[in-house]
Amino acid sequence: MQQILSAYDIPSRVLDIGLGIYCGQGSQAALQVRRQDQWTALLLLSSPEE
């Protein structure tokens, strides 16, 4: 996901948000973008409509 955003020159960073409710391996992460890039990022990362 971060590579898709960087291809469109949208800066982003991955945040570790901890284990949450999952007890499996690894931890949950979130992708953060600037406020002015939020709608563009949502459109790029959302699934295409049928």
Side-chain angles (χ1 to χ4, degrees):
M1 287 187 224
Q2 193 172 26
Q3 290 176 344
I4 293 170
L5 295 175
S6 72
Y8 287 90
D9 296 323
I10 298 175
S12 62
R13 64 180 177 172
V14 177
L15 303 173
D16 180 13
I17 56 174
L19 294 176
I21 60 171
Y22 297 106
C23 296
Q25 298 177 354
S27 63
Q28 295 180 9
L31 195 61
Q32 183 179 39
V33 298
R34 298 180 304 184
R35 180 174 296 274
Q36 62 263 30
D37 294 326
Q38 283 182 351
W39 282 110
T40 305
L42 286 171
L43 288 172
L44 287 170
L45 300 176
S46 64
S47 59
E49 294 184 23
E50 295 182 17

mmCIF file of all heavy atoms in Angstrom:
data_model
loop_
_atom_site.group_PDB
_atom_site.id
_atom_site.type_symbol
_atom_site.label_atom_id
_atom_site.label_comp_id
_atom_site.label_asym_id
_atom_site.label_seq_id
_atom_site.Cartn_x
_atom_site.Cartn_y
_atom_site.Cartn_z
ATOM 1 N N MET A 1 0.821 -1.183 0.000
ATOM 2 C CA MET A 1 0.000 0.000 0.000
ATOM 3 C C MET A 1 0.868 1.251 0.000
ATOM 4 O O MET A 1 0.562 2.208 -0.696
ATOM 5 C CB MET A 1 -0.919 0.001 1.204
ATOM 6 C CG MET A 1 -2.046 -0.988 1.130
ATOM 7 S SD MET A 1 -3.157 -0.744 2.509
ATOM 8 C CE MET A 1 -3.405 -2.411 2.977
ATOM 9 N N GLN A 2 1.916 1.217 0.793
ATOM 10 C CA GLN A 2 2.787 2.385 0.870
ATOM 11 C C GLN A 2 3.485 2.627 -0.469
ATOM 12 O O GLN A 2 3.693 3.766 -0.858
ATOM 13 C CB GLN A 2 3.809 2.194 1.989
ATOM 14 C CG GLN A 2 4.543 3.465 2.350
ATOM 15 C CD GLN A 2 5.397 3.292 3.591
ATOM 16 O OE1 GLN A 2 5.828 2.195 3.913
ATOM 17 N NE2 GLN A 2 5.644 4.380 4.289
ATOM 18 N N GLN A 3 3.793 1.585 -1.207
ATOM 19 C CA GLN A 3 4.425 1.739 -2.516
ATOM 20 C C GLN A 3 3.459 2.370 -3.523
ATOM 21 O O GLN A 3 3.876 3.162 -4.369
ATOM 22 C CB GLN A 3 4.918 0.389 -3.026
ATOM 23 C CG GLN A 3 6.088 -0.131 -2.249
ATOM 24 C CD GLN A 3 6.500 -1.517 -2.697
ATOM 25 O OE1 GLN A 3 5.751 -2.203 -3.384
ATOM 26 N NE2 GLN A 3 7.689 -1.922 -2.318
ATOM 27 N N ILE A 4 2.188 2.022 -3.452
ATOM 28 C CA ILE A 4 1.195 2.636 -4.341
ATOM 29 C C ILE A 4 1.127 4.129 -4.079
ATOM 30 O O ILE A 4 1.132 4.941 -5.004
ATOM 31 C CB ILE A 4 -0.192 1.989 -4.145
ATOM 32 C CG1 ILE A 4 -0.178 0.540 -4.604
ATOM 33 C CG2 ILE A 4 -1.270 2.782 -4.883
ATOM 34 C CD1 ILE A 4 -1.423 -0.239 -4.237
ATOM 35 N N LEU A 5 1.086 4.515 -2.812
ATOM 36 C CA LEU A 5 1.015 5.931 -2.471
ATOM 37 C C LEU A 5 2.273 6.675 -2.891
ATOM 38 O O LEU A 5 2.195 7.787 -3.412
ATOM 39 C CB LEU A 5 0.769 6.098 -0.972
ATOM 40 C CG LEU A 5 -0.572 5.583 -0.465
ATOM 41 C CD1 LEU A 5 -0.644 5.680 1.041
ATOM 42 C CD2 LEU A 5 -1.722 6.318 -1.114
ATOM 43 N N SER A 6 3.431 6.075 -2.699
ATOM 44 C CA SER A 6 4.664 6.759 -3.087
ATOM 45 C C SER A 6 4.773 6.902 -4.597
ATOM 46 O O SER A 6 5.372 7.853 -5.086
ATOM 47 C CB SER A 6 5.891 6.052 -2.511
ATOM 48 O OG SER A 6 6.122 4.836 -3.165
ATOM 49 N N ALA A 7 4.166 6.003 -5.357
ATOM 50 C CA ALA A 7 4.157 6.130 -6.810
ATOM 51 C C ALA A 7 3.384 7.367 -7.260
ATOM 52 O O ALA A 7 3.651 7.921 -8.327
ATOM 53 C CB ALA A 7 3.553 4.881 -7.448
ATOM 54 N N TYR A 8 2.453 7.827 -6.440
ATOM 55 C CA TYR A 8 1.679 9.032 -6.732
ATOM 56 C C TYR A 8 2.173 10.235 -5.911
ATOM 57 O O TYR A 8 1.465 11.213 -5.756
ATOM 58 C CB TYR A 8 0.191 8.788 -6.446
ATOM 59 C CG TYR A 8 -0.450 7.904 -7.476
ATOM 60 C CD1 TYR A 8 -0.480 6.531 -7.319
ATOM 61 C CD2 TYR A 8 -1.010 8.447 -8.623
ATOM 62 C CE1 TYR A 8 -1.060 5.707 -8.269
ATOM 63 C CE2 TYR A 8 -1.595 7.636 -9.576
ATOM 64 C CZ TYR A 8 -1.611 6.274 -9.393
ATOM 65 O OH TYR A 8 -2.185 5.459 -10.349
ATOM 66 N N ASP A 9 3.393 10.130 -5.380
ATOM 67 C CA ASP A 9 4.022 11.197 -4.592
ATOM 68 C C ASP A 9 3.193 11.608 -3.381
ATOM 69 O O ASP A 9 3.103 12.781 -3.039
ATOM 70 C CB ASP A 9 4.323 12.422 -5.462
ATOM 71 C CG ASP A 9 5.340 12.116 -6.540
ATOM 72 O OD1 ASP A 9 6.275 11.341 -6.253
ATOM 73 O OD2 ASP A 9 5.211 12.645 -7.655
ATOM 74 N N ILE A 10 2.574 10.619 -2.745
ATOM 75 C CA ILE A 10 1.830 10.865 -1.508
ATOM 76 C C ILE A 10 2.668 10.322 -0.357
ATOM 77 O O ILE A 10 2.857 9.110 -0.241
ATOM 78 C CB ILE A 10 0.450 10.179 -1.535
ATOM 79 C CG1 ILE A 10 -0.384 10.747 -2.670
ATOM 80 C CG2 ILE A 10 -0.257 10.340 -0.198
ATOM 81 C CD1 ILE A 10 -1.711 10.055 -2.861
ATOM 82 N N PRO A 11 3.198 11.213 0.490
ATOM 83 C CA PRO A 11 4.010 10.733 1.610
ATOM 84 C C PRO A 11 3.151 9.982 2.630
ATOM 85 O O PRO A 11 2.020 10.364 2.903
ATOM 86 C CB PRO A 11 4.602 12.008 2.204
ATOM 87 C CG PRO A 11 3.750 13.112 1.713
ATOM 88 C CD PRO A 11 3.100 12.661 0.451
ATOM 89 N N SER A 12 3.700 8.901 3.159
ATOM 90 C CA SER A 12 2.975 8.118 4.155
ATOM 91 C C SER A 12 3.980 7.471 5.088
ATOM 92 O O SER A 12 5.166 7.401 4.797
ATOM 93 C CB SER A 12 2.110 7.052 3.481
ATOM 94 O OG SER A 12 2.925 6.151 2.768
ATOM 95 N N ARG A 13 3.461 6.991 6.209
ATOM 96 C CA ARG A 13 4.310 6.245 7.134
ATOM 97 C C ARG A 13 3.476 5.161 7.796
ATOM 98 O O ARG A 13 2.260 5.278 7.954
ATOM 99 C CB ARG A 13 4.961 7.151 8.164
ATOM 100 C CG ARG A 13 4.007 7.829 9.100
ATOM 101 C CD ARG A 13 4.751 8.702 10.082
ATOM 102 N NE ARG A 13 3.795 9.403 10.941
ATOM 103 C CZ ARG A 13 4.132 10.104 11.966
ATOM 104 N NH1 ARG A 13 5.405 10.228 12.275
ATOM 105 N NH2 ARG A 13 3.222 10.705 12.690
ATOM 106 N N VAL A 14 4.159 4.099 8.187
ATOM 107 C CA VAL A 14 3.509 2.960 8.837
ATOM 108 C C VAL A 14 3.661 3.127 10.347
ATOM 109 O O VAL A 14 4.757 3.363 10.850
ATOM 110 C CB VAL A 14 4.143 1.632 8.372
ATOM 111 C CG1 VAL A 14 3.514 0.453 9.101
ATOM 112 C CG2 VAL A 14 4.000 1.470 6.868
ATOM 113 N N LEU A 15 2.541 3.025 11.054
ATOM 114 C CA LEU A 15 2.530 3.144 12.504
ATOM 115 C C LEU A 15 2.201 1.802 13.136
ATOM 116 O O LEU A 15 1.271 1.119 12.696
ATOM 117 C CB LEU A 15 1.484 4.169 12.953
ATOM 118 C CG LEU A 15 1.615 5.580 12.396
ATOM 119 C CD1 LEU A 15 0.415 6.415 12.812
ATOM 120 C CD2 LEU A 15 2.895 6.211 12.878
ATOM 121 N N ASP A 16 2.950 1.425 14.142
ATOM 122 C CA ASP A 16 2.669 0.215 14.907
ATOM 123 C C ASP A 16 1.608 0.572 15.943
ATOM 124 O O ASP A 16 1.822 1.431 16.788
ATOM 125 C CB ASP A 16 3.933 -0.280 15.585
ATOM 126 C CG ASP A 16 3.717 -1.539 16.396
ATOM 127 O OD1 ASP A 16 2.657 -2.185 16.247
ATOM 128 O OD2 ASP A 16 4.609 -1.888 17.192
ATOM 129 N N ILE A 17 0.438 -0.076 15.857
ATOM 130 C CA ILE A 17 -0.637 0.248 16.806
ATOM 131 C C ILE A 17 -0.833 -0.853 17.848
ATOM 132 O O ILE A 17 -1.840 -0.895 18.525
ATOM 133 C CB ILE A 17 -1.960 0.567 16.077
ATOM 134 C CG1 ILE A 17 -2.395 -0.574 15.167
ATOM 135 C CG2 ILE A 17 -1.837 1.851 15.294
ATOM 136 C CD1 ILE A 17 -3.753 -0.375 14.535
ATOM 137 N N GLY A 18 0.133 -1.736 17.973
ATOM 138 C CA GLY A 18 0.113 -2.731 19.043
ATOM 139 C C GLY A 18 -0.594 -4.019 18.671
ATOM 140 O O GLY A 18 -0.995 -4.244 17.541
ATOM 141 N N LEU A 19 -0.761 -4.863 19.676
ATOM 142 C CA LEU A 19 -1.330 -6.184 19.464
ATOM 143 C C LEU A 19 -2.843 -6.168 19.286
ATOM 144 O O LEU A 19 -3.382 -7.009 18.598
ATOM 145 C CB LEU A 19 -0.961 -7.107 20.617
ATOM 146 C CG LEU A 19 0.524 -7.444 20.735
ATOM 147 C CD1 LEU A 19 0.775 -8.289 21.977
ATOM 148 C CD2 LEU A 19 1.008 -8.165 19.504
ATOM 149 N N GLY A 20 -3.537 -5.251 19.911
ATOM 150 C CA GLY A 20 -4.989 -5.194 19.783
ATOM 151 C C GLY A 20 -5.656 -6.447 20.290
ATOM 152 O O GLY A 20 -5.258 -7.014 21.296
ATOM 153 N N ILE A 21 -6.673 -6.914 19.559
ATOM 154 C CA ILE A 21 -7.423 -8.089 20.003
ATOM 155 C C ILE A 21 -6.837 -9.387 19.467
ATOM 156 O O ILE A 21 -7.308 -10.464 19.805
ATOM 157 C CB ILE A 21 -8.910 -7.982 19.581
ATOM 158 C CG1 ILE A 21 -9.042 -7.873 18.072
ATOM 159 C CG2 ILE A 21 -9.580 -6.822 20.272
ATOM 160 C CD1 ILE A 21 -10.470 -7.972 17.567
ATOM 161 N N TYR A 22 -5.824 -9.287 18.616
ATOM 162 C CA TYR A 22 -5.240 -10.488 18.027
ATOM 163 C C TYR A 22 -4.150 -11.043 18.926
ATOM 164 O O TYR A 22 -3.368 -10.309 19.501
ATOM 165 C CB TYR A 22 -4.644 -10.173 16.653
ATOM 166 C CG TYR A 22 -5.687 -9.718 15.666
ATOM 167 C CD1 TYR A 22 -5.783 -8.386 15.300
ATOM 168 C CD2 TYR A 22 -6.587 -10.615 15.123
ATOM 169 C CE1 TYR A 22 -6.745 -7.959 14.400
ATOM 170 C CE2 TYR A 22 -7.549 -10.198 14.223
ATOM 171 C CZ TYR A 22 -7.622 -8.880 13.865
ATOM 172 O OH TYR A 22 -8.570 -8.469 12.994
ATOM 173 N N CYS A 23 -4.099 -12.359 19.033
ATOM 174 C CA CYS A 23 -3.082 -13.002 19.854
ATOM 175 C C CYS A 23 -2.092 -13.767 18.989
ATOM 176 O O CYS A 23 -1.288 -14.538 19.497
ATOM 177 C CB CYS A 23 -3.726 -13.959 20.853
ATOM 178 S SG CYS A 23 -4.786 -13.124 22.038
ATOM 179 N N GLY A 24 -2.142 -13.573 17.690
ATOM 180 C CA GLY A 24 -1.242 -14.267 16.783
ATOM 181 C C GLY A 24 0.114 -13.602 16.719
ATOM 182 O O GLY A 24 0.472 -12.761 17.534
ATOM 183 N N GLN A 25 0.887 -13.973 15.736
ATOM 184 C CA GLN A 25 2.216 -13.404 15.573
ATOM 185 C C GLN A 25 2.123 -12.004 14.982
ATOM 186 O O GLN A 25 1.210 -11.696 14.235
ATOM 187 C CB GLN A 25 3.050 -14.288 14.654
ATOM 188 C CG GLN A 25 3.273 -15.674 15.201
ATOM 189 C CD GLN A 25 4.036 -16.550 14.229
ATOM 190 O OE1 GLN A 25 4.302 -16.159 13.109
ATOM 191 N NE2 GLN A 25 4.383 -17.733 14.663
ATOM 192 N N GLY A 26 3.090 -11.169 15.315
ATOM 193 C CA GLY A 26 3.139 -9.827 14.761
ATOM 194 C C GLY A 26 2.220 -8.868 15.491
ATOM 195 O O GLY A 26 1.640 -9.185 16.519
ATOM 196 N N SER A 27 2.106 -7.691 14.940
ATOM 197 C CA SER A 27 1.257 -6.678 15.553
ATOM 198 C C SER A 27 0.500 -5.933 14.462
ATOM 199 O O SER A 27 0.835 -6.017 13.290
ATOM 200 C CB SER A 27 2.093 -5.708 16.385
ATOM 201 O OG SER A 27 2.993 -5.009 15.560
ATOM 202 N N GLN A 28 -0.511 -5.196 14.867
ATOM 203 C CA GLN A 28 -1.316 -4.430 13.922
ATOM 204 C C GLN A 28 -0.562 -3.178 13.514
ATOM 205 O O GLN A 28 0.222 -2.633 14.286
ATOM 206 C CB GLN A 28 -2.638 -4.041 14.555
ATOM 207 C CG GLN A 28 -3.521 -5.208 14.885
ATOM 208 C CD GLN A 28 -4.824 -4.751 15.525
ATOM 209 O OE1 GLN A 28 -5.127 -3.576 15.561
ATOM 210 N NE2 GLN A 28 -5.586 -5.681 16.016
ATOM 211 N N ALA A 29 -0.825 -2.717 12.295
ATOM 212 C CA ALA A 29 -0.183 -1.506 11.801
ATOM 213 C C ALA A 29 -1.223 -0.649 11.087
ATOM 214 O O ALA A 29 -2.246 -1.146 10.628
ATOM 215 C CB ALA A 29 0.955 -1.851 10.855
ATOM 216 N N ALA A 30 -0.948 0.635 11.021
ATOM 217 C CA ALA A 30 -1.817 1.577 10.313
ATOM 218 C C ALA A 30 -0.953 2.400 9.371
ATOM 219 O O ALA A 30 0.229 2.619 9.622
ATOM 220 C CB ALA A 30 -2.536 2.478 11.293
ATOM 221 N N LEU A 31 -1.545 2.855 8.298
ATOM 222 C CA LEU A 31 -0.856 3.696 7.331
ATOM 223 C C LEU A 31 -1.352 5.120 7.514
ATOM 224 O O LEU A 31 -2.557 5.369 7.459
ATOM 225 C CB LEU A 31 -1.158 3.185 5.916
ATOM 226 C CG LEU A 31 -0.290 3.689 4.796
ATOM 227 C CD1 LEU A 31 1.161 3.311 5.009
ATOM 228 C CD2 LEU A 31 -0.770 3.110 3.479
ATOM 229 N N GLN A 32 -0.448 6.061 7.739
ATOM 230 C CA GLN A 32 -0.828 7.450 7.988
ATOM 231 C C GLN A 32 -0.411 8.315 6.805
ATOM 232 O O GLN A 32 0.710 8.211 6.314
ATOM 233 C CB GLN A 32 -0.155 7.961 9.259
ATOM 234 C CG GLN A 32 -0.548 9.371 9.629
ATOM 235 C CD GLN A 32 0.136 9.822 10.902
ATOM 236 O OE1 GLN A 32 1.296 9.519 11.123
ATOM 237 N NE2 GLN A 32 -0.593 10.539 11.727
ATOM 238 N N VAL A 33 -1.332 9.167 6.349
ATOM 239 C CA VAL A 33 -1.057 10.123 5.274
ATOM 240 C C VAL A 33 -1.448 11.518 5.753
ATOM 241 O O VAL A 33 -2.171 11.672 6.734
ATOM 242 C CB VAL A 33 -1.804 9.783 3.961
ATOM 243 C CG1 VAL A 33 -1.370 8.453 3.408
ATOM 244 C CG2 VAL A 33 -3.300 9.805 4.167
ATOM 245 N N ARG A 34 -0.970 12.527 5.029
ATOM 246 C CA ARG A 34 -1.332 13.903 5.386
ATOM 247 C C ARG A 34 -2.824 14.122 5.151
ATOM 248 O O ARG A 34 -3.442 13.463 4.325
ATOM 249 C CB ARG A 34 -0.560 14.899 4.517
ATOM 250 C CG ARG A 34 0.934 14.821 4.702
ATOM 251 C CD ARG A 34 1.652 15.820 3.842
ATOM 252 N NE ARG A 34 1.281 15.634 2.433
ATOM 253 C CZ ARG A 34 1.808 16.306 1.432
ATOM 254 N NH1 ARG A 34 2.721 17.215 1.652
ATOM 255 N NH2 ARG A 34 1.428 16.074 0.198
ATOM 256 N N ARG A 35 -3.383 15.075 5.905
ATOM 257 C CA ARG A 35 -4.821 15.358 5.820
ATOM 258 C C ARG A 35 -5.231 15.704 4.397
ATOM 259 O O ARG A 35 -6.258 15.242 3.904
ATOM 260 C CB ARG A 35 -5.191 16.491 6.765
ATOM 261 C CG ARG A 35 -6.659 16.852 6.730
ATOM 262 C CD ARG A 35 -7.037 17.863 7.771
ATOM 263 N NE ARG A 35 -6.866 17.369 9.126
ATOM 264 C CZ ARG A 35 -7.794 16.677 9.783
ATOM 265 N NH1 ARG A 35 -8.927 16.398 9.211
ATOM 266 N NH2 ARG A 35 -7.589 16.261 11.013
ATOM 267 N N GLN A 36 -4.437 16.503 3.692
ATOM 268 C CA GLN A 36 -4.812 16.914 2.335
ATOM 269 C C GLN A 36 -4.731 15.766 1.324
ATOM 270 O O GLN A 36 -5.269 15.868 0.232
ATOM 271 C CB GLN A 36 -3.982 18.109 1.858
ATOM 272 C CG GLN A 36 -2.504 17.850 1.761
ATOM 273 C CD GLN A 36 -1.743 18.316 2.981
ATOM 274 O OE1 GLN A 36 -2.265 18.337 4.078
ATOM 275 N NE2 GLN A 36 -0.492 18.693 2.795
ATOM 276 N N ASP A 37 -4.091 14.656 1.689
ATOM 277 C CA ASP A 37 -3.975 13.505 0.791
ATOM 278 C C ASP A 37 -4.916 12.363 1.155
ATOM 279 O O ASP A 37 -4.909 11.324 0.499
ATOM 280 C CB ASP A 37 -2.541 12.978 0.799
ATOM 281 C CG ASP A 37 -1.556 13.963 0.211
ATOM 282 O OD1 ASP A 37 -1.932 14.685 -0.728
ATOM 283 O OD2 ASP A 37 -0.415 14.007 0.696
ATOM 284 N N GLN A 38 -5.737 12.524 2.187
ATOM 285 C CA GLN A 38 -6.555 11.412 2.672
ATOM 286 C C GLN A 38 -7.532 10.887 1.627
ATOM 287 O O GLN A 38 -7.636 9.679 1.430
ATOM 288 C CB GLN A 38 -7.313 11.811 3.932
ATOM 289 C CG GLN A 38 -6.442 11.826 5.158
ATOM 290 C CD GLN A 38 -7.213 12.185 6.408
ATOM 291 O OE1 GLN A 38 -8.372 12.584 6.345
ATOM 292 N NE2 GLN A 38 -6.578 12.053 7.554
ATOM 293 N N TRP A 39 -8.281 11.755 0.954
ATOM 294 C CA TRP A 39 -9.276 11.288 -0.021
ATOM 295 C C TRP A 39 -8.607 10.607 -1.204
ATOM 296 O O TRP A 39 -9.076 9.571 -1.680
ATOM 297 C CB TRP A 39 -10.168 12.434 -0.486
ATOM 298 C CG TRP A 39 -11.209 12.767 0.526
ATOM 299 C CD1 TRP A 39 -11.281 13.890 1.293
ATOM 300 C CD2 TRP A 39 -12.315 11.941 0.927
ATOM 301 N NE1 TRP A 39 -12.354 13.816 2.138
ATOM 302 C CE2 TRP A 39 -13.014 12.632 1.934
ATOM 303 C CE3 TRP A 39 -12.770 10.692 0.540
ATOM 304 C CZ2 TRP A 39 -14.144 12.117 2.544
ATOM 305 C CZ3 TRP A 39 -13.905 10.172 1.157
ATOM 306 C CH2 TRP A 39 -14.574 10.884 2.135
ATOM 307 N N THR A 40 -7.505 11.167 -1.674
ATOM 308 C CA THR A 40 -6.787 10.551 -2.796
ATOM 309 C C THR A 40 -6.279 9.171 -2.392
ATOM 310 O O THR A 40 -6.404 8.206 -3.157
ATOM 311 C CB THR A 40 -5.608 11.439 -3.229
ATOM 312 O OG1 THR A 40 -6.099 12.743 -3.522
ATOM 313 C CG2 THR A 40 -4.915 10.872 -4.447
ATOM 314 N N ALA A 41 -5.719 9.062 -1.191
ATOM 315 C CA ALA A 41 -5.215 7.772 -0.715
ATOM 316 C C ALA A 41 -6.347 6.759 -0.580
ATOM 317 O O ALA A 41 -6.195 5.597 -0.964
ATOM 318 C CB ALA A 41 -4.505 7.953 0.625
ATOM 319 N N LEU A 42 -7.487 7.173 -0.058
ATOM 320 C CA LEU A 42 -8.629 6.259 0.072
ATOM 321 C C LEU A 42 -9.100 5.755 -1.290
ATOM 322 O O LEU A 42 -9.419 4.587 -1.456
ATOM 323 C CB LEU A 42 -9.785 6.947 0.800
ATOM 324 C CG LEU A 42 -9.601 7.127 2.307
ATOM 325 C CD1 LEU A 42 -10.713 8.003 2.867
ATOM 326 C CD2 LEU A 42 -9.580 5.782 2.998
ATOM 327 N N LEU A 43 -9.138 6.650 -2.269
ATOM 328 C CA LEU A 43 -9.556 6.233 -3.612
ATOM 329 C C LEU A 43 -8.550 5.275 -4.253
ATOM 330 O O LEU A 43 -8.929 4.294 -4.893
ATOM 331 C CB LEU A 43 -9.741 7.459 -4.508
ATOM 332 C CG LEU A 43 -10.971 8.316 -4.186
ATOM 333 C CD1 LEU A 43 -10.934 9.607 -5.005
ATOM 334 C CD2 LEU A 43 -12.241 7.547 -4.453
ATOM 335 N N LEU A 44 -7.263 5.531 -4.066
ATOM 336 C CA LEU A 44 -6.239 4.675 -4.650
ATOM 337 C C LEU A 44 -6.220 3.287 -4.007
ATOM 338 O O LEU A 44 -5.972 2.284 -4.674
ATOM 339 C CB LEU A 44 -4.854 5.315 -4.495
ATOM 340 C CG LEU A 44 -4.568 6.502 -5.383
ATOM 341 C CD1 LEU A 44 -3.257 7.172 -4.950
ATOM 342 C CD2 LEU A 44 -4.483 6.069 -6.834
ATOM 343 N N LEU A 45 -6.488 3.210 -2.703
ATOM 344 C CA LEU A 45 -6.382 1.946 -1.984
ATOM 345 C C LEU A 45 -7.687 1.184 -1.864
ATOM 346 O O LEU A 45 -7.708 0.055 -1.400
ATOM 347 C CB LEU A 45 -5.805 2.213 -0.587
ATOM 348 C CG LEU A 45 -4.409 2.844 -0.566
ATOM 349 C CD1 LEU A 45 -3.995 3.138 0.863
ATOM 350 C CD2 LEU A 45 -3.395 1.953 -1.259
ATOM 351 N N SER A 46 -8.798 1.791 -2.283
ATOM 352 C CA SER A 46 -10.078 1.098 -2.180
ATOM 353 C C SER A 46 -10.254 0.134 -3.349
ATOM 354 O O SER A 46 -9.631 0.269 -4.393
ATOM 355 C CB SER A 46 -11.226 2.104 -2.159
ATOM 356 O OG SER A 46 -11.279 2.807 -3.385
ATOM 357 N N SER A 47 -11.125 -0.841 -3.162
ATOM 358 C CA SER A 47 -11.378 -1.808 -4.230
ATOM 359 C C SER A 47 -12.267 -1.147 -5.307
ATOM 360 O O SER A 47 -13.121 -0.316 -4.984
ATOM 361 C CB SER A 47 -12.058 -3.057 -3.670
ATOM 362 O OG SER A 47 -13.274 -2.708 -3.058
ATOM 363 N N PRO A 48 -12.045 -1.507 -6.552
ATOM 364 C CA PRO A 48 -12.859 -0.904 -7.619
ATOM 365 C C PRO A 48 -14.333 -1.322 -7.517
ATOM 366 O O PRO A 48 -14.646 -2.442 -7.106
ATOM 367 C CB PRO A 48 -12.242 -1.445 -8.908
ATOM 368 C CG PRO A 48 -11.302 -2.509 -8.518
ATOM 369 C CD PRO A 48 -11.064 -2.430 -7.049
ATOM 370 N N GLU A 49 -15.202 -0.396 -7.858
ATOM 371 C CA GLU A 49 -16.627 -0.713 -7.835
ATOM 372 C C GLU A 49 -16.989 -1.562 -9.038
ATOM 373 O O GLU A 49 -16.401 -1.461 -10.090
ATOM 374 C CB GLU A 49 -17.443 0.579 -7.854
ATOM 375 C CG GLU A 49 -17.272 1.417 -6.615
ATOM 376 C CD GLU A 49 -18.169 2.637 -6.632
ATOM 377 O OE1 GLU A 49 -19.190 2.621 -7.346
ATOM 378 O OE2 GLU A 49 -17.838 3.596 -5.940
ATOM 379 N N GLU A 50 -17.992 -2.368 -8.865
ATOM 380 C CA GLU A 50 -18.419 -3.251 -9.964
ATOM 381 C C GLU A 50 -19.440 -2.577 -10.837
ATOM 382 O O GLU A 50 -20.167 -1.749 -10.479
ATOM 383 C CB GLU A 50 -18.979 -4.542 -9.386
ATOM 384 C CG GLU A 50 -17.913 -5.329 -8.655
ATOM 385 C CD GLU A 50 -18.471 -6.638 -8.132
ATOM 386 O OE1 GLU A 50 -19.531 -7.077 -8.580
ATOM 387 O OE2 GLU A 50 -17.826 -7.210 -7.259
#
